[in-house]
Amino acid sequence: MTRDAKRQADESVPLNTPTAIHCLRILTVNTHKGFTAFNRRFILPELREAVRSTAADLVFLQEVVGEHDRHSSRYDDWPQTSQYEFLADSMWSDFAYGRNAVYPDGHHGNALLSKYPIREFRNLDVSITGPERRGLLHCVLDVPGHAEVHAICVHLSLLESHRQLQLKLLCQLLESLPDTAPVIIAGDFNDWKLHGNAALALRADLHEAFERHHGRPAKTYPARFPLLRLDRIYLRNATSHAPRILGNKPWTHLSDHLPLAVEVHL
């Protein structure tokens, strides 16, 4: 190659092009508002250290507090920021929050912590009737090497009839997304009868990580002696690898749910 030809070849490569990312480490956890089971002890600082130890790229949080005036004056180690900002700390540069439940002292909802830029986000209110407030936090991520990656943090109702309606709304959201874009759906589905899982399984383009690798979704509740399969990680246009239930200490006392972790290959 001549010197001029080499110069032209070098100039055709954009400078500072980020390296394409093909693997994302995913964690989903119901934080139980920063308390142990039955609200016996406030353990958010311990939970932050445990979450940091996973080195996850994306963290899907449910029941995370945005604000609580009474607790902030009652607990000396209550953070000065929202719980999701406290958990993000310096490890996750971007975060998004979807406020679901609002009460006199404050509010809580779903959140996503991300090591990659969150290009845009929206919180879809999927509450049906009554006091139970639920949402789908939908984020569009800017992951190098991909036009867009979609992350949806889910917390569904305790009532079967409400969950079925909420799953229909989730499917409508999925239908609105680009057919070829990677989609990661994670959170607390409260689907102990597995009816919702069966409905989502009918969608040929979705798979649940633990069901694919182990035959059934993971048992995550209650954390000390898990019997119910409440938490899930679903994927579209991506593959799951090495799914894990984080069932050892300290996780068993950091919430009433056990977290789930998985590698997602794009």
Side-chain angles (χ1 to χ4, degrees):
M1 181 181 291
T2 66
R3 182 178 300 176
D4 289 342
K6 185 178 187 301
R7 184 183 299 115
Q8 291 176 2
D10 291 342
E11 290 174 352
S12 67
V13 178
L15 296 177
N16 300 320
T17 301
T19 302
I21 300 299
H22 297 296
C23 179
L24 297 175
R25 291 164 296 186
I26 306 301
L27 178 73
T28 180
V29 56
N30 184 318
T31 69
H32 197 54
K33 304 168 193 169
F35 289 87
T36 59
F38 306 111
N39 298 326
R40 288 173 176 162
R41 192 163 62 91
F42 179 65
I43 43 74
L44 191 70
E46 295 174 58
L47 180 62
R48 179 172 71 173
E49 292 309 307
V51 170
R52 286 170 63 91
S53 73
T54 68
D57 298 302
L58 301 178
V59 182
F60 294 72
L61 303 172
Q62 306 89 52
E63 286 193 29
V64 62
V65 174
E67 181 179 306
H68 200 294
D69 293 337
R70 183 164 55 88
H71 286 341
S72 64
S73 61
R74 182 179 178 185
Y75 296 98
D76 293 337
D77 51 354
W78 191 269
Q80 297 297 312
T81 62
S82 64
Q83 286 190 354
Y84 56 89
E85 290 178 271
F86 177 79
L87 290 169
D89 194 30
S90 59
M91 282 196 66
W92 292 275
S93 57
D94 276 40
F95 46 80
Y97 172 65
R99 183 172 62 182
N100 294 335
V102 180
Y103 29 82
D105 288 316
H107 49 83
H108 71 263
N110 298 335
L112 182 77
L113 314 182
S114 175
K115 290 186 178 179
Y116 299 100
I118 298 175
R119 188 185 305 170
E120 58 184 270
F121 72 93
R122 54 178 171 160
N123 192 49
L124 303 180
D125 185 355
V126 294
S127 308
I128 307 302
T129 57
E132 200 180 52
R133 314 310 297 172
R134 302 294 184 184
L136 304 174
L137 177 62
H138 171 216
C139 300
V140 183
L141 309 178
D142 189 5
V143 179
H146 307 274
E148 55 190 54
V149 174
H150 295 262
I152 304 171
C153 188
V154 173
H155 192 189
L156 299 187
S157 174
L158 294 168
L159 298 176
E160 178 69 36
S161 59
H162 288 192
R163 283 198 302 276
Q164 291 300 323
L165 293 172
Q166 289 163 349
L167 286 168
K168 289 181 180 178
L169 295 172
L170 173 59
C171 289
Q172 289 176 13
L173 171 58
L174 288 170
E175 289 167 1
S176 73
L177 304 182
D179 291 339
T180 59
V183 180
I184 305 165
I185 310 165
D188 178 1
F189 282 73
N190 274 319
D191 179 34
W192 58 85
K193 296 181 179 179
L194 302 183
H195 293 169
N197 186 62
L200 288 175
L202 294 175
R203 297 180 58 88
D205 54 350
L206 274 182
H207 82 269
E208 202 282 323
F210 289 81
E211 186 173 45
R212 171 157 293 186
H213 291 267
H214 303 297
R216 301 193 77 180
K219 291 182 179 180
T220 57
Y221 184 89
R224 292 295 181 95
F225 189 66
L227 297 171
L228 302 179
R229 306 173 191 274
L230 302 189
D231 301 87
R232 312 279 165 76
I233 299 174
Y234 292 94
L235 303 175
R236 186 171 84 177
N237 298 323
T239 58
S240 54
H241 299 266
R244 294 182 296 131
I245 306 169
L246 304 185
N248 300 322
K249 290 183 179 180
W251 297 106
T252 49
H253 77 274
L254 293 180
S255 173
D256 55 349
H257 288 243
L258 292 177
L260 300 179
V262 69
E263 288 185 4
V264 172
H265 291 193
L266 307 176

